């Protein structure tokens, strides 16, 4: 029944779509955020939207639809009409849904309106931890396999992937304790319940500045503006360079079948939104790297990210299905 | 010092800010009273609205909504047996029987005063002891959350009514409902049957609205011809003697609320349940037996959940760690307003701390005013003929459930739970333990596994940590004392 209704709605909008494309947008739009309120994706989405609304001249109603690591939002937007009125505000997760056995849908079915920016991972320990460099920590983990505890956010999460990437260049063994997200993981680290955590700079920055935590390395090919003194991971593990840049990313998508002129209007509006001063400040405060790319450039980035990450996870035995089944090439 | 006082009074002296706090509190009461419309939701919607406002205005409004919303849940719990929010579940246990006795007005009056007492305790703790409490909250390990959840789940015994076996069955049903969805540790599907809708889990607010709201509405259809209870609305201001008698309990449960609220893994819902448990264990001579309209059973959760508001702000303002779901959203709002929540927040924007303390205090005073006015009209709601009231409840339940995450599937769940809850009521199975299981089950699940993984899956290490870490030892002893206190052995020893 619902499917029929949706189908009817889609058919109607196709008919209407031809006539209205030039005047897009005629009414308010719906922005579906794939993570909960207050999370990293939510903050980026709500940060960029006011400037985009100004550029488009119509409001965007924001809706958090968390669940199943974003798969529910992806399916929801995919079922909505491809008329550009339903936007998907998402993070990197759908690129892993296939191999994790969650859903067949990934960003391949969507058009990247704008990949706004990416986060950089940083490895943090308690301020008074014994390790002075990341190499010391890894060597300690090699000497005492399994005894050092890492806060993780579950399979496919940032700490998990960073550990898997590192493991492929420097085999070591730590005990990964999963938490509900980066925030709770960092909280546990401050309480001394775990020993270290690879986390997004956005989540850890203020704790590092406040002296609660100490950064050992940034998972990037060069040091970052937020912490110019923290060495990049390639200083100690040059082989990591082949995986970089790697990190979570945030962006806006619409269904691939959306009319081209509607796509173009959205791309223009979101580019303006991403360039707005308020959003630039927000991203800098959160230690994110601005990307502001769309179309083919964004697709290339997405494909590369997916290929690197899924194969590393697969080789580490963390996937349910092989990337090969989805035609994802080895990097 | 003078500067501190000025910051504290900012919201009191600026008419614009004063209006924000007052309007927020007023709106919060009504948002909180409608099941499904939560404070978290209201605050996250407001973030888009208040984007261009000065950050102080936004924070003042949010503080008002937070305080009002946590209290508002009590109204629908008392009047209709439908908790407006999970933190008001425990309020319904004794609040609704009071309304059925015709004491709804008095119950709301007492709940208001004691909410304000609890709320002010939370603010006081925030103002005086924030850094200490925040440090303590960090030290609470996964196994301690497991112990807290276990202490909470023992409440099944109190809520079971006539048959403990039926209570345990209901609790286990709740735990099972809470388990549906992706495993939070491994992202493995549990009871999902490959369905994407099930992967997102069943929102516990849908279960709450179904088992309380819809089940109650259906159950009342059995007595349609029954005259509605006439409400006595003579004295709405609670008697000073009653308040004085209940005050010590209110202060004790307020303290529970502050601590549970400040812990990053727990919020007002668990605080209220634990406070109810505490009241049931410590009050020997309640005004009526618990579950049949004891004012003690009303005061304990209400003081605790409002105290948890101040508690939740403690780690947020001092460390940038959210104490609950609402403060998590507030942290996001601060980022969008260009601030950087974290340990340095109080250094970079020094006025923020005392400004928040000031607006929270103000919001509690507004709550006292708004909470004690309009009770008369509210209590009329109960006197409304059932033929009008019940369809209204059903519509509100559906709207509220849909509002959780705009997912029509949740409405089906809610209706299904409503029908199940109806038959449970008919066959004398208690429904409250179901909600207890839904709230505490997942917490026990992840805490246990987190603790076990931390002990590297070694049961001996795992067990020894319960006695070697001071906080864990305290909680373990407390848990054992509760269990042993209920055994025949103990009563025999005491009898001797």
């Amino acid at each position: 029944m619902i499917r029929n209704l949706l189908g009817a709605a889609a058919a109607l909008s196709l008919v209407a779509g031809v006539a209205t494309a030039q005047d897009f947008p005629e009414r308010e739009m719906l922005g579906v955020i794939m993570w909960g309120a207050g999370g990293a994706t939510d903050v980026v989405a709500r940060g960029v939207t006011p400037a985009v609304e100004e550029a488009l001249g119509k409001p965007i109603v924001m809706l958090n639809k968390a669940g199943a690591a974003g798969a529910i939002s992806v399916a929801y937007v995919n079922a909505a009409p491809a008329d550009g009125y339903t936007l998907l505000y998402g993070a990197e997760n759908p690129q892993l849904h296939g191999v994790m056995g969650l859903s067949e849908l990934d960003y391949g079915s969507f058009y990247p309106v704008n990949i706004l920016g990416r986060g950089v991972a940083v490895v943090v320990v308690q301020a008074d931890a014994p390790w002075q460099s990341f190499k010391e920590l890894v060597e300690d983990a090699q000497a005492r396999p399994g005894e050092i505890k890492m806060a993780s956010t579950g399979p496919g999460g940032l700490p998990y992937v960073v550990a898997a990437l590192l493991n492929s260049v420097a085999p070591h063994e730590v005990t990964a304790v999963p938490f509900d997200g980066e925030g709770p993981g960092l909280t546990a680290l401050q309480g001394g319940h775990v020993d270290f955590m690879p986390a997004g700079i956005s989540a850890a920055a203020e704790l590092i500045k406040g002296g609660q935590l100490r950064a050992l390395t940034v998972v990037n090919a060069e040091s970052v503006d937020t912490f110019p003194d923290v060495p990049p991971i390639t200083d100690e593990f040059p082989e990591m360079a082949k995986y970089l840049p790697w990190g979570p990313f945030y962006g806006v998508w619409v269904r691939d079948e959306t009319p081209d002129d509607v796509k173009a209007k959205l791309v223009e509006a979101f580019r303006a939104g991403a360039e707005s001063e308020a959003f630039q400040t927000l991203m800098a405060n959160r230690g994110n790297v601005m990307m502001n790319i769309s179309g083919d450039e964004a697709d290339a980035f997405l494909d590369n990210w997916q290929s690197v990450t899924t194969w590393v996870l697969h080789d580490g035995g963390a996937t349910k299905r092989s990337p090969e089944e989805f035609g994802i090439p080895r990097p | 010092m003078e500067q501190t006082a000025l910051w504290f009074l900012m919201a009191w002296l600026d008419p614009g800010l004063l209006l924000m706090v007052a309007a927020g509190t007023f709106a919060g009461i009504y948002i909180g009273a409608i099941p499904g419309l939560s404070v978290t939701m209201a605050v996250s919607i407001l973030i888009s609205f208040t984007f261009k406002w000065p950050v102080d205005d936004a924070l003042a409004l949010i503080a008002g909504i937070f305080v009002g919303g946590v209290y508002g849940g009590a109204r629908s719990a008392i009047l209709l047996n439908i908790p407006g929010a999970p933190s008001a579940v425990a309020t319904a246990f004794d609040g609704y029987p009071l309304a059925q006795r015709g004491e709804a007005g008095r119950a709301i009056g007492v709940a208001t005063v004691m909410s304000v007492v609890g709320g002010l305790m939370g603010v006081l703790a925030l103002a005086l002891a924030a850094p200490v409490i925040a440090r303590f909250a960090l030290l609470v390990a996964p196994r301690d959350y497991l112990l807290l959840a276990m202490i909470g789940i023992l409440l099944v015994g109190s809520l079971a009514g006539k048959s403990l076996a039926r209570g345990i069955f209901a609790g286990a049903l709740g735990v099972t409902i809470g388990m549906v969805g992706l495993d939070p540790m491994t992202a493995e599907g549990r009871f999902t049957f490959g369905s994407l809708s099930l992967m997102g889990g069943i929102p516990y607010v849908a279960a709450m609205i179904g088992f309380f709201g819809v089940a109650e509405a259906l159950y009342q259809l059995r007595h349609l011809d029954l005259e509605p209870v006439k409400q006595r609305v003579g004295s709405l201001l609670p008697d000073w003697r009653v308040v004085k008698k209940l005050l010590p309990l209110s202060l004790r449960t307020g303290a529970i609320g502050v601590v549970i609220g400040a812990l990053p893994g727990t919020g007002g819902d668990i605080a209220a349940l634990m406070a109810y448990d505490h009241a049931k264990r410590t009050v020997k001579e309640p005004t009526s037996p618990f579950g049949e309209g004891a004012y003690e059973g009303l005061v304990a959760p209400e003081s605790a959940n409002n105290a948890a508001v101040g508690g939740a702000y403690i780690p947020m303002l001092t460390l940038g760690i959210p104490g609950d779901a609402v403060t998590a959203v507030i942290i996001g709002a601060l980022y969008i307003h260009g601030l950087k929540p974290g340990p340095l927040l109080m250094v970079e924007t020094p006025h923020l701390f005392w400004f928040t303390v000031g607006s929270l205090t103000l919001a509690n005073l507004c709550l006292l005013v708004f909470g004690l006015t309009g009770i008369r009209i509210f209590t009329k709601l109960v006197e409304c003929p059932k033929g009008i009231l019940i369809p209204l409840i059903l519509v509100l339940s559906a709207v509220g459930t849909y509002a959780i995450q705009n997912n029509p599937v949740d409405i089906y769940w809610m209706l299904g739970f409503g029908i199940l809850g109806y038959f449970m009521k008919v066959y004398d199975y208690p429904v409250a333990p179901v909600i207890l299981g839904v709230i505490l089950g997942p917490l026990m699940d992840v805490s246990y596994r987190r603790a076990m993984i931390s002990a590297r899956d070694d049961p001996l290490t795992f067990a020894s940590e319960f006695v070697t870490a001071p906080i864990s030892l305290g909680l373990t002893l407390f848990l054992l004392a509760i269990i042993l206190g209920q055994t025949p052995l103990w009563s025999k020893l005491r009898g001797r």
Side-chain angles (χ1 to χ4, degrees):
Chain A
M1 177 63 191
I2 288 170
R3 192 162 304 186
N4 286 344
L5 275 181
L6 282 177
L12 266 179
S13 69
L14 273 183
V15 177
V18 184
T20 59
Q22 301 93 319
D23 321 315
F24 177 88
E26 286 194 308
R27 52 186 165 89
E28 77 281 355
M29 287 156 283
L30 177 68
V32 181
I33 308 170
M34 68 164 67
W35 286 104
T41 311
D42 183 64
V43 169
V44 171
R46 289 181 195 270
V48 75
T49 301
V52 176
E53 287 174 327
E54 220 160 86
L56 286 172
K58 285 277 185 273
I60 302 177
V61 179
M62 305 295 270
L63 170 67
N64 293 93
K65 239 178 154 45
I72 291 186
S73 277
V74 177
Y76 180 82
V77 175
N78 192 54
D83 55 6
Y85 284 97
T86 313
L87 309 168
L88 175 67
Y89 287 87
E92 72 281 4
N93 319 76
Q95 295 299 75
L96 303 178
H97 285 167
V99 293
M100 302 309 280
L102 266 177
S103 157
E104 304 267 325
L105 275 175
D106 61 16
Y107 286 137
S109 320
F110 294 85
Y111 174 80
V113 172
N114 198 318
I115 295 181
L116 297 159
R118 68 180 170 91
V120 177
V122 56
V123 178
V124 286
V125 293
Q126 274 195 297
D128 54 359
W131 310 287
Q132 294 310 314
S133 73
F134 188 46
K135 192 155 198 166
E136 280 179 34
L137 191 149
V138 174
E139 281 167 0
D140 198 5
Q142 285 165 336
R144 303 185 289 142
E147 278 182 45
I148 297 178
K149 285 181 266 186
M150 173 184 85
S152 115
T153 54
L158 180 144
Y160 190 99
V161 177
V162 169
L165 292 173
L166 183 70
N167 208 36
S168 74
V169 300
H172 65 292
E173 194 189 329
V174 293
T175 298
V177 185
F179 289 87
D180 295 338
E182 291 191 321
L186 290 168
T187 306
L189 177 60
Q190 291 178 69
H193 310 301
V194 288
D195 300 305
F196 78 104
M197 180 173 193
I201 282 193
S202 56
E206 290 307 306
L207 297 170
I208 301 169
K209 286 183 198 156
Q212 312 278 318
L213 299 176
R214 186 153 52 85
L216 291 182
T217 183
V218 287
V219 186
N220 205 16
E222 60 268 357
S223 53
V224 292
D225 293 345
T226 327
F227 297 107
D229 299 334
V230 178
I233 196 165
T234 43
D235 281 9
E236 289 171 329
F237 298 96
E239 278 181 77
M240 284 291 283
K242 64 183 174 203
Y243 298 130
L244 301 173
W246 189 91
F249 56 84
Y250 313 101
V252 188
W253 285 261
V254 288
R255 278 183 63 185
D256 217 7
E257 298 86 350
T258 308
D260 283 338
D261 45 355
V262 171
K263 281 182 189 165
K265 277 216 168 140
L266 286 171
V267 166
E268 196 188 320
F270 272 93
R271 181 161 299 145
E275 281 161 6
S276 73
E277 204 189 314
F279 186 65
Q280 299 270 352
T281 315
L282 169 80
M283 293 294 267
N285 277 349
R286 300 210 32 119
N288 289 334
V289 179
M290 281 297 303
M291 292 178 72
N292 197 6
I293 56 171
S294 56
D296 292 340
E297 196 186 356
D299 271 329
F301 170 82
L302 291 170
D303 289 344
N304 179 51
W305 192 97
Q306 189 176 38
S307 139
V308 167
T309 315
T310 52
W311 278 104
V312 163
L313 288 174
H314 185 67
D315 294 342
T319 52
K320 296 210 179 80
R321 296 171 66 178
S322 162
E324 221 159 20
E325 287 180 51
F326 301 93
I328 301 170
R330 253 188 197 281
Chain B
M1 192 61 213
E2 200 178 312
Q3 190 63 58
T4 306
L6 271 181
W7 284 330
F8 178 83
L9 289 175
M10 256 173 85
W12 300 58
L13 300 178
D14 181 329
L17 291 173
L18 186 75
L19 184 74
M20 283 297 156
V21 175
T25 313
F26 188 77
I29 294 176
Y30 291 91
I31 293 169
I34 297 173
L37 293 192
S38 66
V39 181
T40 320
M41 192 187 300
V43 173
S44 47
I45 291 170
L46 270 179
I47 291 178
S48 310
F49 272 108
T50 58
F51 180 76
K52 292 204 173 124
W53 298 11
V55 64
D56 291 342
D57 289 25
L59 284 177
L61 187 64
I62 289 173
I65 291 192
F66 198 174
V67 170
V70 167
Y71 159 80
R75 289 210 161 169
S76 35
I78 293 170
L79 293 172
L80 304 170
N81 201 19
I82 309 169
S87 57
V89 167
T91 311
F93 297 162
D94 280 286
Y96 184 60
L98 278 169
Q100 282 183 315
R101 265 195 346 226
E103 294 178 32
R106 219 172 135 211
I108 293 181
V110 171
T112 308
V113 173
M114 293 314 185
S115 287
V116 173
V117 170
L120 290 176
M121 261 188 89
V123 180
L124 200 67
L126 172 66
L128 299 181
V132 185
I133 297 177
R135 291 270 143 237
F136 169 79
L138 283 182
L139 295 178
V140 175
R143 62 179 169 276
D144 302 324
Y145 282 105
L146 172 64
L147 285 164
L148 280 173
M150 283 165 72
I151 292 169
I153 208 102
L154 289 179
L155 191 57
V156 167
S158 319
L159 299 178
K162 280 167 237 150
S163 155
L164 181 62
R166 289 178 178 194
I168 292 175
F169 166 79
L173 177 69
V175 172
T176 313
I177 294 170
M179 293 291 139
V180 175
L182 292 184
D183 181 320
M185 305 254 137
T186 63
E188 201 79 41
R190 291 198 291 208
F191 307 115
T192 60
F193 306 99
S195 145
L196 200 60
S197 309
L198 284 172
M199 281 183 190
I202 301 170
Y204 65 118
V205 177
M208 186 190 81
I209 297 175
F211 278 109
F212 277 90
V214 177
E216 179 67 29
L218 293 178
Y219 192 73
Q220 295 202 356
L221 286 177
R222 291 160 69 91
H223 311 286
L224 258 189
D225 46 342
L226 215 68
E227 270 296 301
V229 188
K230 262 269 168 274
Q231 295 294 335
R232 283 192 300 270
V233 282
S235 65
L236 294 178
L237 277 177
D239 200 328
W240 171 241
R241 262 175 314 160
V242 178
V243 173
K244 215 169 113 185
K245 181 165 176 269
L246 295 171
L247 200 60
L249 176 70
S250 176
L251 294 179
R252 290 202 307 272
T253 49
I256 294 179
V258 172
V259 174
I260 302 281
L263 295 184
T266 48
D269 47 354
I270 293 178
L273 287 167
M274 299 200 66
Y276 185 83
D277 189 47
H278 171 80
K280 216 172 159 175
R281 280 176 212 296
T282 53
V283 179
K284 292 285 167 258
E285 284 168 21
T287 45
S288 307
F290 278 100
E292 294 172 25
Y295 278 99
E296 286 81 358
L298 177 69
V299 163
E302 276 311 298
S303 301
N305 64 22
N306 273 68
V309 174
Y313 270 99
I314 289 175
M316 185 204 116
L317 286 173
T318 49
L319 300 171
I321 295 169
D324 69 352
V326 181
T327 39
V329 180
I330 300 178
I331 287 182
L334 291 178
Y335 270 116
I336 291 174
H337 278 284
L339 299 177
K340 291 178 267 180
L344 295 180
L345 185 70
M346 280 159 72
V347 181
E348 287 173 359
T349 40
H351 81 280
L352 210 65
F353 182 81
W354 287 105
F355 169 66
T356 306
V357 172
S359 4
L360 284 174
T361 315
L362 188 61
N364 271 293
L365 296 184
C366 292
L367 181 62
L368 194 61
V369 176
F370 295 138
L372 290 177
T373 49
I375 296 182
R376 228 174 277 262
I377 305 163
F378 254 89
T379 47
K380 286 281 170 218
L381 201 65
V382 192
E383 294 179 12
C384 201
K386 295 246 164 77
I388 295 172
L389 191 59
I390 291 174
L392 268 178
I393 292 179
L394 289 176
V395 170
L396 266 186
S397 298
V399 172
T401 311
Y402 184 70
I404 308 167
Q405 46 185 15
N406 301 332
N407 189 350
V409 179
D410 294 342
I411 300 181
Y412 305 145
W413 278 115
M414 183 270 299
L415 290 175
F417 288 138
I419 293 166
L420 181 62
Y422 167 77
F423 282 107
M424 286 173 70
K425 275 171 188 270
V426 170
Y427 292 102
D428 235 355
Y429 282 81
V431 292
V434 181
I435 305 302
L436 195 71
V438 179
I439 293 177
L440 293 176
L443 181 65
M444 285 173 82
D445 173 36
V446 293
S447 308
Y448 164 71
R449 289 161 67 196
R450 226 168 257 154
M452 196 49 138
I453 293 172
S454 300
R456 300 184 63 197
D457 293 328
D458 177 3
L460 273 181
T461 319
F462 175 74
S464 71
E465 279 172 346
F466 281 93
V467 286
T468 49
I471 298 177
S472 311
L473 180 63
L475 287 169
T476 309
L477 290 177
F478 185 59
L479 179 70
L480 288 177
I482 292 177
I483 296 174
L484 289 179
Q486 304 295 324
T487 54
L489 184 74
W490 177 251
S491 359
K492 236 184 244 169
L493 277 175
R494 280 188 66 170
R496 215 173 269 170

